[in-house]
Amino acid sequence: MNRSHPRPELSRPAFTAVCALVVVGVAAGPAAAHAGVTASDPRALAENVTLSFTSEAESDTAGIAELRVVLPKGIAPDAVTLKDAPEEWKLTATPEGYTIGGPALATGTDAEYSITVRQLPDERSLVFKTLETYSDGKISRWIEVPTDGEKVDNPAPVLELRAAAPGAELIAPSSSPSPTVDAPATGTATASGVPSPGQSAAPPPPAASASAQAAGAEEAGSGTGATAGVVAAVLLLAAAGTFGWVRRSRGRV
């Protein structure tokens, strides 16, 4: 005769312990990225691309106040403009990238913003190393770059790029026009008509020089004529005296 055996049942405390172990196992798995980036057109050499960034808040006592980003090679700071950001946040270019920040966000609020890039470089991936500064001065550094599939504790945001579109070309960087006309070092005036500092005054025109020479020659001629007149008068007086002396000498003979 077959007898049925009752199935063992987990008690409530045992069931709770199993659930706790499952939760711990999930938490111990790979953590989500703390800072990430996406693109409206993730292709090499794509133009006017919107990049959207998200930096997750980690502090329980302070809010994110500023983000400092190092741009990858091929994207110049002047090729970036702010598209969207938290209220009163502003973007400021730096030699290596830019900073964006303003009034600290509420504690636990992620920092989300977007920028427009004139053109993406011809690369396979772009790394945007990011430093998060909280209102209490704490800094989170998401600057590590995983290599060969290795996991890192503080990964930087990485944007994977697809191949460039057919016919896509690298555009020339923009340049600011010069406010003045380029002038040689000989004293040419600028566009405003004022000689630039350190330049000597322009020489007088040929006509003015000729007039000055003519005036000098006329003054020299006037001086020579006056001298000749004085000499002639002296000779005339001497001749008159000699003539008078000769007449008196004849009268005595």
Side-chain angles (χ1 to χ4, degrees):
M1 183 176 179
N2 295 331
R3 295 181 179 180
S4 61
H5 298 280
R7 296 179 180 179
E9 295 182 359
L10 290 175
S11 63
R12 184 177 295 276
F15 179 78
T16 303
V18 171
C19 291
L21 290 175
V22 172
V23 171
V24 171
V26 172
H34 294 282
V37 57
T38 59
S40 60
D41 187 2
R43 295 182 298 175
L45 300 180
E47 299 180 29
N48 299 318
V49 179
T50 297
L51 300 183
S52 299
F53 294 84
T54 300
S55 292
E56 296 181 358
E58 295 182 312
S59 176
D60 295 330
T61 58
I64 299 175
E66 183 184 75
L67 303 173
R68 187 177 187 90
V69 178
V70 177
L71 289 171
K73 180 181 179 181
I75 301 180
D78 62 355
V80 173
T81 56
L82 182 61
K83 184 175 182 180
D84 189 28
E87 187 176 359
E88 296 186 33
W89 276 34
K90 296 181 180 180
L91 185 145
T92 303
T94 64
E96 71 279 359
Y98 61 86
T99 61
I100 180 172
L105 302 178
T107 302
T109 302
D110 297 341
E112 299 179 349
Y113 72 95
S114 60
I115 60 175
T116 299
V117 179
R118 186 182 304 126
Q119 185 181 39
L120 298 181
D122 191 6
E123 300 288 346
R124 293 184 178 180
S125 63
L126 303 176
V127 178
F128 298 85
K129 297 182 179 180
T130 303
L131 276 67
E132 302 173 2
T133 301
Y134 289 80
S135 57
D136 60 359
K138 178 185 176 181
I139 299 177
S140 296
R141 304 174 185 274
W142 306 108
I143 59 176
E144 296 180 317
V145 181
T147 56
D148 299 330
E150 296 179 356
K151 295 180 181 179
V152 293
D153 296 331
N154 301 293
V158 178
L159 178 64
E160 301 294 337
L161 298 182
R162 300 196 301 267
E169 296 181 356
L170 184 65
I171 60 177
S174 62
S175 58
S176 301
S178 176
T180 58
V181 177
D182 292 335
T186 55
T188 303
T190 61
S192 61
V194 179
S196 58
Q199 295 178 345
S200 59
S209 299
S211 299
Q213 294 176 358
E218 184 178 355
E219 292 177 0
S222 299
T224 303
T227 303
V230 171
V231 173
V234 171
L235 292 176
L236 182 60
L237 292 175
T242 302
F243 180 74
W245 180 78
V246 171
R247 291 187 62 183
R248 286 195 299 270
S249 298
R250 288 181 180 178
R252 294 176 182 176
V253 177

PDB file of all heavy atoms in Angstrom, residues 224-237:
ATOM      1  N   THR A 224      73.222 135.199 -50.058  1.00  0.00           N
ATOM      2  CA  THR A 224      74.371 135.425 -50.957  1.00  0.00           C
ATOM      3  C   THR A 224      74.273 136.775 -51.647  1.00  0.00           C
ATOM      4  O   THR A 224      75.255 137.520 -51.798  1.00  0.00           O
ATOM      5  CB  THR A 224      74.419 134.307 -52.000  1.00  0.00           C
ATOM      6  OG1 THR A 224      74.501 133.039 -51.328  1.00  0.00           O
ATOM      7  CG2 THR A 224      75.615 134.466 -52.909  1.00  0.00           C
ATOM      8  N   GLY A 225      73.045 137.192 -52.063  1.00  0.00           N
ATOM      9  CA  GLY A 225      72.869 138.490 -52.729  1.00  0.00           C
ATOM     10  C   GLY A 225      73.194 139.640 -51.798  1.00  0.00           C
ATOM     11  O   GLY A 225      73.797 140.640 -52.208  1.00  0.00           O
ATOM     12  N   ALA A 226      72.813 139.535 -50.559  1.00  0.00           N
ATOM     13  CA  ALA A 226      73.108 140.628 -49.603  1.00  0.00           C
ATOM     14  C   ALA A 226      74.589 140.779 -49.393  1.00  0.00           C
ATOM     15  O   ALA A 226      75.129 141.900 -49.318  1.00  0.00           O
ATOM     16  CB  ALA A 226      72.389 140.310 -48.277  1.00  0.00           C
ATOM     17  N   THR A 227      75.307 139.695 -49.313  1.00  0.00           N
ATOM     18  CA  THR A 227      76.770 139.766 -49.125  1.00  0.00           C
ATOM     19  C   THR A 227      77.444 140.413 -50.321  1.00  0.00           C
ATOM     20  O   THR A 227      78.359 141.249 -50.194  1.00  0.00           O
ATOM     21  CB  THR A 227      77.318 138.342 -48.918  1.00  0.00           C
ATOM     22  OG1 THR A 227      76.665 137.747 -47.798  1.00  0.00           O
ATOM     23  CG2 THR A 227      78.813 138.372 -48.672  1.00  0.00           C
ATOM     24  N   ALA A 228      76.993 140.047 -51.533  1.00  0.00           N
ATOM     25  CA  ALA A 228      77.588 140.648 -52.732  1.00  0.00           C
ATOM     26  C   ALA A 228      77.338 142.139 -52.775  1.00  0.00           C
ATOM     27  O   ALA A 228      78.204 142.938 -53.197  1.00  0.00           O
ATOM     28  CB  ALA A 228      77.003 139.984 -53.980  1.00  0.00           C
ATOM     29  N   GLY A 229      76.196 142.623 -52.339  1.00  0.00           N
ATOM     30  CA  GLY A 229      75.899 144.059 -52.336  1.00  0.00           C
ATOM     31  C   GLY A 229      76.817 144.821 -51.408  1.00  0.00           C
ATOM     32  O   GLY A 229      77.276 145.932 -51.711  1.00  0.00           O
ATOM     33  N   VAL A 230      77.099 144.281 -50.249  1.00  0.00           N
ATOM     34  CA  VAL A 230      77.989 144.947 -49.284  1.00  0.00           C
ATOM     35  C   VAL A 230      79.394 145.070 -49.865  1.00  0.00           C
ATOM     36  O   VAL A 230      80.059 146.116 -49.767  1.00  0.00           O
ATOM     37  CB  VAL A 230      78.003 144.170 -47.959  1.00  0.00           C
ATOM     38  CG1 VAL A 230      79.077 144.709 -47.024  1.00  0.00           C
ATOM     39  CG2 VAL A 230      76.632 144.226 -47.290  1.00  0.00           C
ATOM     40  N   VAL A 231      79.876 144.002 -50.510  1.00  0.00           N
ATOM     41  CA  VAL A 231      81.222 144.038 -51.094  1.00  0.00           C
ATOM     42  C   VAL A 231      81.299 145.094 -52.199  1.00  0.00           C
ATOM     43  O   VAL A 231      82.281 145.850 -52.305  1.00  0.00           O
ATOM     44  CB  VAL A 231      81.587 142.653 -51.653  1.00  0.00           C
ATOM     45  CG1 VAL A 231      82.910 142.712 -52.422  1.00  0.00           C
ATOM     46  CG2 VAL A 231      81.687 141.641 -50.512  1.00  0.00           C
ATOM     47  N   ALA A 232      80.259 145.172 -53.032  1.00  0.00           N
ATOM     48  CA  ALA A 232      80.261 146.162 -54.118  1.00  0.00           C
ATOM     49  C   ALA A 232      80.283 147.578 -53.567  1.00  0.00           C
ATOM     50  O   ALA A 232      80.967 148.474 -54.098  1.00  0.00           O
ATOM     51  CB  ALA A 232      79.018 145.943 -55.000  1.00  0.00           C
ATOM     52  N   ALA A 233      79.532 147.837 -52.494  1.00  0.00           N
ATOM     53  CA  ALA A 233      79.518 149.186 -51.904  1.00  0.00           C
ATOM     54  C   ALA A 233      80.883 149.551 -51.369  1.00  0.00           C
ATOM     55  O   ALA A 233      81.368 150.705 -51.502  1.00  0.00           O
ATOM     56  CB  ALA A 233      78.461 149.236 -50.793  1.00  0.00           C
ATOM     57  N   VAL A 234      81.574 148.621 -50.736  1.00  0.00           N
ATOM     58  CA  VAL A 234      82.923 148.909 -50.192  1.00  0.00           C
ATOM     59  C   VAL A 234      83.887 149.226 -51.322  1.00  0.00           C
ATOM     60  O   VAL A 234      84.688 150.181 -51.243  1.00  0.00           O
ATOM     61  CB  VAL A 234      83.426 147.712 -49.371  1.00  0.00           C
ATOM     62  CG1 VAL A 234      84.888 147.892 -48.997  1.00  0.00           C
ATOM     63  CG2 VAL A 234      82.572 147.520 -48.122  1.00  0.00           C
ATOM     64  N   LEU A 235      83.812 148.455 -52.407  1.00  0.00           N
ATOM     65  CA  LEU A 235      84.709 148.721 -53.534  1.00  0.00           C
ATOM     66  C   LEU A 235      84.419 150.087 -54.159  1.00  0.00           C
ATOM     67  O   LEU A 235      85.337 150.821 -54.582  1.00  0.00           O
ATOM     68  CB  LEU A 235      84.545 147.615 -54.591  1.00  0.00           C
ATOM     69  CG  LEU A 235      85.043 146.224 -54.162  1.00  0.00           C
ATOM     70  CD1 LEU A 235      84.745 145.201 -55.249  1.00  0.00           C
ATOM     71  CD2 LEU A 235      86.553 146.275 -53.847  1.00  0.00           C
ATOM     72  N   LEU A 236      83.137 150.442 -54.246  1.00  0.00           N
ATOM     73  CA  LEU A 236      82.774 151.736 -54.828  1.00  0.00           C
ATOM     74  C   LEU A 236      83.311 152.886 -53.995  1.00  0.00           C
ATOM     75  O   LEU A 236      83.849 153.890 -54.517  1.00  0.00           O
ATOM     76  CB  LEU A 236      81.250 151.829 -54.968  1.00  0.00           C
ATOM     77  CG  LEU A 236      80.722 153.112 -55.615  1.00  0.00           C
ATOM     78  CD1 LEU A 236      81.277 153.258 -57.044  1.00  0.00           C
ATOM     79  CD2 LEU A 236      79.213 153.138 -55.639  1.00  0.00           C
ATOM     80  N   LEU A 237      83.205 152.801 -52.695  1.00  0.00           N
ATOM     81  CA  LEU A 237      83.741 153.850 -51.815  1.00  0.00           C
ATOM     82  C   LEU A 237      85.250 153.948 -51.930  1.00  0.00           C
ATOM     83  O   LEU A 237      85.832 155.049 -51.928  1.00  0.00           O
ATOM     84  CB  LEU A 237      83.328 153.562 -50.359  1.00  0.00           C
ATOM     85  CG  LEU A 237      81.831 153.705 -50.052  1.00  0.00           C
ATOM     86  CD1 LEU A 237      81.561 153.277 -48.615  1.00  0.00           C
ATOM     87  CD2 LEU A 237      81.373 155.159 -50.259  1.00  0.00           C
TER      88      LEU A 237
END
